Amino acid sequence: MSLAVQIQQKLSDAFTPTHIEVDCESHMHNVPEGAEMHFRVVLVSEAFTGVRKVQRHQKVYAVLADEMAGPIHALALHLYTGEEWAGQAPQSPQCLGANKG
């Protein structure tokens, strides 16, 4: 099972999202081919209602504590309530260190 699938499963179990995207963005960075270290997560859940952004991030970090201590190097989080969700989240910028040439 890929790390992205594991992340999605853990977050789905913890937050019962109405929308979730877990994208491995390692290919955009200067890492070995096939590495799973950089991720972008878009998560829409009513569990975030009344919760400040910093606390939302802390909740996700707590669920992914094992992964954050190990294979995850970078995690871009876009966390919304259903009311806040506009149908899309910002894309990650291209890494300046990604030029492997």
Side-chain angles (χ1 to χ4, degrees):
M1 176 184 315
S2 75
L3 186 53
V5 171
Q6 287 178 268
I7 291 168
Q8 183 165 341
Q9 186 61 54
K10 281 185 138 182
L11 294 176
S12 294
D13 291 347
F15 297 104
T16 315
T18 56
H19 179 83
I20 187 169
E21 299 172 30
V22 178
D23 300 316
C24 180
E25 296 185 330
S26 296
H27 65 280
M28 296 168 50
H29 300 273
N30 190 17
V31 299
E33 189 171 328
E36 288 187 294
M37 303 169 65
H38 297 254
F39 292 90
R40 175 180 174 268
V41 172
V42 179
L43 183 61
V44 181
S45 174
E46 295 313 312
F48 298 135
T49 301
V51 179
R52 296 180 312 194
K53 288 183 181 186
V54 169
Q55 292 172 318
R56 294 175 188 189
H57 284 239
Q58 290 170 336
K59 288 176 178 285
V60 170
Y61 294 149
V63 170
L64 300 177
D66 290 340
E67 292 80 3
M68 294 298 294
I72 294 178
H73 174 74
L75 184 62
L77 297 175
H78 304 282
L79 311 173
Y80 306 95
T81 65
E83 186 175 311
E84 296 166 341
W85 176 237
Q88 79 180 59
Q91 294 298 314
S92 298
Q94 188 69 23
C95 176
L96 296 176
N99 184 358
K100 298 177 185 181

